[in-house]
Amino acid sequence: MMQQQQADVAVIGAGIVGLAMAYKLAGKGKKVVLFERNSRAISASIRNFGLVWPIGQSAGKMYNRAMHSRAVWKQLAAETGLQCNETGSLHLVYEKDELAVLEEFAQAAPGNGYACELISPDKIGNYTKAIKTDGLKGALWSNTEMTVNPRQASAAIARHLEEKMNVTVRFNTAVNGISLPYIETKDEKWKVDQVYVCSGADFETLYPAAYAAAPLTKCKLQMMRTIPQPDNWQLGPALCAGLTLAHYAAFNTCETLVPLKERFRQEMPEYVKWGIHLLISQNGAGELTIGDSHEYGPDFEPFDKAFINDLILKYMHTFLAAPTSTIQEQWHGIYPKLTNGGTELILTPEKDVTIVNALSGAGMTLSFGLAEELVG
């Protein structure tokens, strides 16, 4: 006979969104069971830069959500020994119209709650030695960005939940149906009061009708990683450049962004078509993580496009000056994205069931802050 167990809350999916929900629920004293169909998190939560990126979030609610997440990451790093480097970030610009966006953004930044400053080319050496200074027009320095190792983070958090926060973690355990108050898996039956479904890019298994009716698509992004940099060479701040100004919501308030986007469309159509902008981070092993691109659709070919990686590397070489750019790994990730400009998908497909999804590529930056809002 199937053994029946009991918890206050079930969380389905042990990617970063599910882990954040379980962490916040357990922190409020709830008895939590966490289900994950795979042996560990293997999807978008491990296929990213590991960047916590408040500077990219729009002012107010989203920035505050990111800063709450940042505080939780620091706390988790202290509790688990997880690598968490407060690197800060630099947006580098080499064209006048890009500088105009930075100037407009930096001028409004204090009133919008951002902690950042414009750096002149002659001062850039105080912040980084990893870039080409020829033609540099300026940079935006922000001290809020952090780098964690995404391939270690989800496993470390899951272990912490189990060992220190009394969360029951069930890996290799798919949940294919929910009939509250019961959840049945192949081996167990759980009685719970509440369920959070954090299923990432799986829209088909649980509540497919709710997902089908939502303004959702999927995004495929291509990324790469170099071999370790020699002689303990350090990147320092996470780096990005002009194309990134057209990617993140934070800059959408800048009037100077309109002509810049138009120039990108005319001069760099392939970059616009494939949604390419560039972020570079470094992990504890000294490897640089480089990306990314953005393709949208209901599903994708499993094959990566070499020309997209070539475009990414070509743009990288316009500003990065690293000892080696030898690539050891290439991969892609897939994450859910809202098509209506929303920042997250929260649905209640039935009483006491909440779907939490579609943080649109900012899961590492926003999950803990969103979880706090939902359970707080």
Side-chain angles (χ1 to χ4, degrees), residues 43-45 47-48 200-203 216-221 247 275 277 292-297 300 332-338 357-363:
S43 298
S45 296
R47 305 184 195 190
N48 59 66
D202 173 11
F203 304 161
L216 271 180
T217 187
K218 293 175 188 175
C219 177
K220 175 186 177 183
L221 52 95
H247 181 76
H277 79 115
D292 54 1
S293 56
H294 298 79
E295 289 177 67
Y296 300 100
F300 306 95
H332 69 263
I334 293 170
Y335 64 75
K337 175 144 179 92
L338 287 164
N357 208 325
L359 279 70
S360 299

Side-chain angles (χ1 to χ4, degrees), residues 12-27:
I12 298 168
I16 193 60
V17 177
L19 291 168
M21 291 305 305
Y23 178 80
K24 288 293 184 179
L25 288 160

Side-chain angles (χ1 to χ4, degrees), residues 225-287:
R225 183 165 280 180
T226 70
I227 60 174
Q229 297 297 310
D231 305 320
N232 197 32
W233 180 90
Q234 293 299 306
L235 178 71
L239 299 178
C240 59
L243 281 172
T244 294
L245 303 177
H247 181 76
Y248 281 111
F251 299 98
N252 287 347
T253 54
C254 297
E255 290 177 12
T256 48
L257 188 63
V258 178
L260 177 62
K261 281 184 168 179
E262 184 53 39
R263 177 171 70 79
F264 287 154
R265 276 192 288 272
Q266 289 179 14
E267 294 182 7
M268 305 174 77
E270 288 292 283
Y271 286 86
V272 174
K273 178 180 179 181
W274 299 103
I276 296 169
H277 79 115
L278 218 70
L279 294 174
I280 303 173
S281 65
Q282 186 176 35
N283 63 23
E287 302 157 332

Side-chain angles (χ1 to χ4, degrees), residues 96-349:
K96 280 182 183 168
D97 52 1
E98 298 169 350
L99 179 62
V101 176
L102 285 196
E103 287 173 339
E104 184 182 348
F105 183 83
Q107 191 172 357
N112 287 329
Y114 296 102
C116 61
E117 61 179 309
L118 208 54
I119 306 300
S120 60
D122 59 315
K123 300 277 195 312
I124 197 72
N126 299 333
Y127 295 85
T128 181
K129 303 281 192 288
I131 68 158
K132 295 177 177 173
T133 53
D134 222 27
L136 183 72
K137 295 278 192 288
L140 185 78
W141 159 252
S142 164
N143 68 359
T144 52
E145 287 61 59
M146 300 195 309
T147 309
V148 300
N149 189 326
R151 300 187 192 186
Q152 297 167 357
S154 6
I157 296 168
R159 216 162 32 242
H160 180 70
L161 290 172
E162 198 164 31
E163 292 171 4
K164 298 288 194 297
M165 300 184 76
N166 205 28
V167 173
T168 304
V169 181
R170 291 287 189 262
F171 284 110
N172 294 307
T173 305
V175 174
N176 297 307
I178 297 167
S179 303
L180 283 181
Y182 297 107
I183 289 179
E184 285 192 21
T185 68
K186 66 184 193 312
D187 302 316
E188 297 176 323
K189 185 176 188 177
W190 284 80
K191 186 179 186 196
V192 298
D193 302 325
Q194 205 176 6
V195 182
Y196 288 92
V197 178
C198 310
S199 57
D202 173 11
F203 304 161
E204 295 78 31
T205 304
L206 296 169
Y207 305 104
Y211 275 114
L216 271 180
T217 187
K218 293 175 188 175
C219 177
K220 175 186 177 183
L221 52 95
Q222 289 184 203
M223 298 181 68
M224 292 166 275
R225 183 165 280 180
T226 70
I227 60 174
Q229 297 297 310
D231 305 320
N232 197 32
W233 180 90
Q234 293 299 306
L235 178 71
L239 299 178
C240 59
L243 281 172
T244 294
L245 303 177
H247 181 76
Y248 281 111
F251 299 98
N252 287 347
T253 54
C254 297
E255 290 177 12
T256 48
L257 188 63
V258 178
L260 177 62
K261 281 184 168 179
E262 184 53 39
R263 177 171 70 79
F264 287 154
R265 276 192 288 272
Q266 289 179 14
E267 294 182 7
M268 305 174 77
E270 288 292 283
Y271 286 86
V272 174
K273 178 180 179 181
W274 299 103
I276 296 169
H277 79 115
L278 218 70
L279 294 174
I280 303 173
S281 65
Q282 186 176 35
N283 63 23
E287 302 157 332
L288 301 182
T289 304
I290 303 155
D292 54 1
S293 56
H294 298 79
E295 289 177 67
Y296 300 100
D299 51 36
F300 306 95
E301 294 282 343
F303 318 109
D304 290 348
K305 297 178 172 70
F307 75 86
I308 286 180
N309 287 348
D310 290 343
L311 286 168
I312 289 171
L313 293 173
K314 182 182 176 185
Y315 190 69
M316 178 189 82
H317 288 304
T318 65
F319 65 88
L320 180 71
T324 178
S325 53
T326 301
I327 301 299
Q328 64 167 330
E329 291 178 326
Q330 305 173 45
W331 70 92
H332 69 263
I334 293 170
Y335 64 75
K337 175 144 179 92
L338 287 164
T339 55
N340 63 354
T343 49
E344 70 283 327
L345 180 72
I346 310 294
L347 298 175
T348 310

